[in-house]
Amino acid sequence: MPLSMDSPSEDEIATLQLSGGKSPYMQLIFMRKEHQYRSYFDFCSAEHFQAKSEWVRGFQKFLHKVTYRCGGDKPLLLKSTAHTGRVRNLMKMFPKARFVYIHRDPYELFQSTAHMADTYLWHCALQVPTNEQVTEYILWLYEFLHDVYVKERTLIPENQLHELSFHDLEKDPIGQVEKIYTALRLGGFEDVLPLLQSYTKSTSGYKKNVFASLAPETIELINKRWGRTLSTFGYTMRH
C-alpha cells in the first residue's frame, strides 16, 4: 500500500509516545540495541511490571482519545504488528475483543519486511544498524511473533478470531472482508459494501513492489530459522 508521512499510522506509534517509550517500537529507533526492547512485546517478566503498567496506561489513554474523537459509540479497529505478541494481555484487558490474523508466505514476508526496513527505517532511526543486525531483527521478530501467537490464540473464543491469508485478501478483498464480518458476527456488512467497492476501485491501478529473487543463501537462512513455522499455515519450503 502507498505510504507517506501523512498516512494513518499504527496505534503502537501513539502508545510509544504516551507510555514514555515503553514499546517494542523503540527497536526501530535504536536498532543496534533492539535486544533491550524485546520484552516490551509481552512484558512477561516480573521486572517489567512497572513498564507494563506505563504501556497499559498509555494505550488506554490513546484508545479513550480516539473513541471520544469518533463520537464515543463506535468499536475501534486497531492494526499493529506488536499486538500479535500480546494476545494474552489484550484478552485480559478486552475479553470481548475480536481478532483478525493475516498470515503471508514467509519468503514473500521476508522480502517485504527487508524492503520496508530499507525504505522506512531511516526516517525514524537514531542509530545506523548493520545489514546483519537488520536481518537478525527480521528473523527474530517473525520467530517470536509466530510462536507467541500460535500459543496464545487458544485463549481467544472461536467466534472472536478469524485467520486468513494475505494472498486471499489481495485476490478478493471484498469477499474476504465479508468473511471476516460473518465469522466475527459483526453485522452490517451491506452498509460498508459501497465504501469497500469505492476503495478497491480507487486502488485498482496500484502496482506492488517487485523484488529480485531471493539468493540461495537467503532461502537457506529462512529455512533454517523459519522452517518450522511453514506448516502452521500450510506453506511449502523452498529449495
Side-chain angles (χ1 to χ4, degrees), residues 76-112:
L76 300 181
L77 176 61
L78 308 176
K79 183 267 176 187
S80 280
T81 302
H83 294 326
T84 311
R86 54 171 72 116
V87 170
R88 181 183 300 275
N89 288 326
L90 292 173
M91 283 298 297
K92 288 181 179 179
M93 295 171 66
F94 311 107
K96 295 183 180 180
R98 286 163 285 197
F99 296 79
V100 178
Y101 182 85
I102 305 173
H103 55 84
R104 188 175 187 179
D105 179 282
Y107 302 95
E108 295 178 5
L109 177 64
F110 182 89
Q111 290 176 303
S112 179

Side-chain angles (χ1 to χ4, degrees), residues 150-169:
V150 169
K151 178 181 179 180
E152 296 188 350
R153 67 179 174 178
T154 58
L155 302 174
I156 308 174
E158 184 177 356
N159 63 352
Q160 291 178 222
L161 170 65
H162 182 67
E163 298 177 341
L164 68 154
S165 73
F166 179 82
H167 172 77
D168 289 343
L169 180 62

Side-chain angles (χ1 to χ4, degrees), residues 171-217:
K171 184 178 180 180
D172 180 23
I174 293 179
Q176 290 300 314
V177 172
E178 183 176 14
K179 288 183 178 180
I180 292 172
Y181 269 70
T182 300
L184 300 182
R185 304 175 185 177
L186 297 175
F189 177 75
E190 61 279 357
D191 296 328
V192 296
L193 180 56
L195 297 175
L196 288 172
Q197 292 171 329
S198 176
Y199 176 75
T200 54
K201 183 178 180 180
S202 71
T203 60
S204 60
Y206 176 70
K207 295 182 179 180
K208 290 177 57 179
N209 293 313
V210 178
F211 305 118
S213 299
L214 290 169
E217 56 269 25

